[in-house]
């Protein structure tokens, strides 16, 4: 016969129906021939009934009137997090409109945020602070307006020649001076130099 | 015994609406589960006023976390988990449960029932109910929670494991210990 010390730890689970079939069979057979373990199993069962009675009595003694209202009052005072509010707003859109429209709304929101973030860079572009972009912009603009004048100051990354002003009334001669380096340059075409 | 199941029918709809902020829908859920949540809290803290306060806190926290609830598990199991965690944390911070150590623990082991001990089943059921309430004070919050979830709420060992976030084997051993402990205390009360 199996020793009682091996069976006792399983009595609780046996009464709860939580044993695997092999163990269930082992315990059932032992109980059939062991009055002490059978008494302990019966005690556990009575204990369960007593616990249920006890808690029913204790719970019935607690007044629950107004409990739900008290919970609602606390919930009303809660302020959902921004994420929770945004999620609920999106969910409400799903209820009112098609999923495609909800997606479009979210895409528009992303586009607006992107534009706001990139605005400083857009401003830089338009003001010509970026020299290469500014130079390209000038050439495009010149081609459109056919204006012969160069910008008063054009800065380049390559500082070998910095043209500040073009001075000449003769279209065959180009003269420009750079006060910064105290330099004056006169450019003459080859046919002019041959005279 | 009652078998918790995944939310179905109107309960699933109530949960869906409540997760989007519908306080009225959540109010229906509160009324449906308030008694059981209070019961779980009462089992752990053993004080009516504390149990009511902790049960309210349970529902507030549940409302805040509803968007995270996954309907693949039962709503009641999820709710019990919140209630048990809040109540056990409350008891731990209050430091009111007793832990046996050293000579006290050895004395407790020696008091385990012998094979020829008398049963307490002869005690009248109403008297037993009262004595059980007294005996429950001898248990830790974790042991009280596990025995209530099993005996009163009828949860399986796997469900209790999910509620209390502990292994199934721990649930089994805690239940066995809790029942034996109550059995010993009840016999002592009967002798007195």
């Amino acid at each position: 016969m199996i020793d009682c010390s091996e069976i006792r730890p399983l009595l609780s689970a046996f009464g709860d129906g939580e044993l695997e079939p092999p163990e269930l069979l082992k315990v059932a057979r032992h109980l059939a021939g062991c009055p002490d373990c059978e008494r302990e199993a019966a005690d556990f069962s009575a204990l369960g009934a007593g616990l249920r009675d006890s808690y029913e009595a204790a719970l019935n003694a607690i007044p629950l009137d107004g409990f739900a209202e008290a919970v609602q009052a606390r919930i009303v005072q809660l302020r959902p997090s921004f994420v929770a509010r945004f999620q609920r707003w999106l969910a409400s859109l799903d209820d009112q409109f098609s999923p495609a429209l909800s997606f479009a709304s979210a895409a528009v929101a992303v586009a607006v945020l992107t534009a706001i973030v990139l605005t400083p860079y857009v401003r830089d572009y338009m003001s010509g602070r970026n020299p290469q972009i500014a130079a390209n912009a000038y050439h495009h603009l010149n081609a459109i307006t056919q204006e012969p004048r160069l910008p008063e100051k054009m800065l380049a990354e390559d500082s070998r020649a910095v043209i500040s002003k073009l001075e000449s009334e003769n279209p065959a001669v180009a003269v420009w001076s750079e006060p910064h380096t105290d330099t004056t340059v006169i450019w003459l075409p080859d046919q002019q130099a041959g005279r | 015994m009652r078998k918790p199941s995944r939310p179905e029918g109107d309960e699933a709809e109530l949960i869906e609406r409540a997760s989007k902020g519908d306080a009225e829908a959540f109010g229906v859920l509160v009324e449906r589960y308030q008694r059981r949540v209070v019961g779980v809290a009462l089992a752990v803290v053993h004080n009516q006023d504390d149990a009511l306060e902790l049960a309210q806190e349970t529902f507030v926290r549940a409302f805040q976390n509803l968007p995270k609830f996954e309907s693949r598990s039962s709503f009641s199991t999820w709710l019990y988990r919140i209630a048990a965690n809040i109540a056990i944390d409350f008891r731990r911070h209050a430091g009111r449960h007793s832990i046996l150590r050293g000579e006290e623990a050895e004395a407790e082991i020696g008091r385990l029932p012998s094979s020829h001990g008398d049963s307490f089943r002869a005690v009248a059921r109403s008297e037993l109910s009262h004595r059980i309430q007294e005996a429950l004070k001898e248990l830790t919050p974790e042991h009280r929670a596990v025995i209530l979830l099993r005996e009163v709420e009828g949860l399986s060992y796997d469900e209790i494991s999910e509620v209390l976030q502990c292994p199934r084997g721990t649930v089994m051993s805690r239940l066995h210990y809790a029942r034996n402990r109550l059995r010993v205390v009840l016999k002592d009360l009967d002798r007195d």
Side-chain angles (χ1 to χ4, degrees):
Chain A
M1 186 172 168
I2 299 172
D3 191 73
C4 293
S5 60
E6 191 180 333
I7 295 298
R8 283 208 179 99
L10 301 176
L11 288 179
S12 195
F14 173 80
D16 293 335
E18 293 277 353
L19 289 180
E20 295 297 324
E23 282 185 324
L24 182 74
L25 201 58
K26 183 170 74 175
V27 173
R29 283 176 178 162
H30 179 85
L31 290 180
C34 179
D36 292 332
C37 288
E38 195 279 335
R39 187 184 307 120
E40 188 167 329
D43 282 349
F44 286 162
S45 179
L47 193 62
L51 273 167
R52 286 186 286 277
D53 286 348
S54 173
Y55 267 97
E56 284 298 320
L59 275 178
N60 289 339
I62 298 178
L64 292 178
D65 297 335
F67 179 87
E69 288 78 5
V71 171
Q72 293 285 55
R74 289 177 69 166
I75 287 173
V76 164
Q77 292 175 6
L78 290 175
R79 176 170 170 76
S81 66
F82 172 77
V83 173
R85 292 201 307 274
F86 184 69
Q87 285 176 334
R88 286 174 179 167
W89 175 73
L90 281 179
S92 67
L93 286 179
D94 280 340
D95 290 338
Q96 296 176 36
F97 304 105
S98 69
L101 187 56
S102 300
F103 177 77
S105 303
V108 167
V110 169
V112 168
L113 281 173
T114 304
I116 292 172
V117 168
L118 292 180
T119 293
Y121 299 97
V122 172
R123 285 203 196 107
D124 286 347
Y125 172 83
M126 294 308 293
S127 70
R129 288 179 197 169
N130 185 317
Q132 187 56 47
I133 294 175
N136 292 340
Y138 166 75
H139 286 299
H140 284 299
L141 181 61
N142 195 30
I144 293 170
T145 62
Q146 295 182 349
E147 188 64 48
R149 293 171 299 171
L150 286 174
E152 189 162 312
K153 179 176 277 190
M154 178 182 286
L155 296 175
E157 293 297 323
D158 186 352
S159 60
R160 285 177 296 176
V162 179
I163 302 171
S164 63
K165 192 173 181 180
L166 188 63
E167 304 161 339
S168 174
E169 294 183 357
N170 187 336
V173 177
V175 178
W176 64 90
S177 60
E178 181 47 59
H180 179 67
T181 56
D182 198 25
T183 303
T184 301
V185 179
I186 303 173
W187 179 82
L188 300 170
D190 287 345
Q191 53 270 34
Q192 292 285 344
R195 288 185 185 176
Chain B
M1 284 194 172
R2 184 192 61 79
K3 292 286 184 184
S5 59
R6 296 175 189 175
E8 292 180 352
D10 80 307
E11 181 162 291
E13 183 190 340
L14 285 171
I15 293 169
E16 179 70 19
R17 285 167 50 197
S19 68
K20 294 175 183 176
D22 187 339
E24 185 182 340
F26 189 72
V28 176
L29 292 171
V30 171
E31 289 179 359
R32 193 173 288 186
Y33 288 100
Q34 61 186 15
R35 193 165 187 273
R36 287 148 77 178
V37 169
V38 170
V40 171
L42 182 65
V44 177
V45 301
H46 230 60
N47 176 281
Q48 285 190 7
D49 293 335
D50 290 341
L52 279 171
E53 175 60 31
L54 293 172
Q56 283 190 23
E57 180 61 30
T58 297
F59 282 109
V60 170
R61 200 173 295 186
F63 181 77
Q64 291 176 304
N65 290 286
L66 258 179
K68 299 178 190 172
F69 169 69
E70 296 172 357
S71 57
R72 61 170 183 239
S73 63
S74 79
F75 181 71
S76 59
T77 302
W78 182 74
L79 208 54
Y80 291 161
R81 190 195 309 171
I82 298 173
N85 285 338
I86 290 175
I88 290 173
D89 283 347
F90 175 82
R91 287 290 295 189
R92 279 183 186 152
H93 287 121
R96 292 176 197 168
H97 63 267
S98 59
I99 300 174
L100 298 179
R101 293 191 179 93
E103 293 179 358
E104 281 184 340
E106 290 181 7
E108 180 57 35
I109 292 170
R111 288 168 65 186
L112 285 174
S114 68
S115 58
H116 299 290
D118 292 332
S119 168
F120 56 80
R121 282 177 285 139
V123 177
R125 193 156 170 169
S126 60
E127 178 65 14
L128 178 62
S129 173
H130 172 71
R131 292 183 182 189
I132 285 174
Q133 284 297 318
E134 291 300 309
L136 283 168
K137 296 175 184 176
E138 302 283 326
L139 298 179
T140 66
E142 290 83 356
H143 287 101
R144 282 205 294 272
V146 76
I147 201 164
L148 169 82
L149 290 172
R150 175 61 209 173
E151 294 290 3
V152 180
E153 296 299 330
L155 299 188
S156 68
Y157 284 18
D158 288 333
E159 286 164 341
I160 295 172
S161 169
E162 185 182 342
V163 169
L164 298 180
Q165 296 288 285
C166 63
R168 190 175 187 277
T170 302
V171 171
M172 190 180 296
S173 63
R174 281 183 183 172
L175 262 176
H176 186 67
Y177 173 84
R179 282 166 168 153
N180 261 318
R181 185 83 175 104
L182 287 175
R183 190 162 163 261
V184 166
V185 173
L186 286 168
K187 284 188 177 181
D188 290 345
L189 290 175
D190 192 33
R191 287 196 199 108
D192 292 342

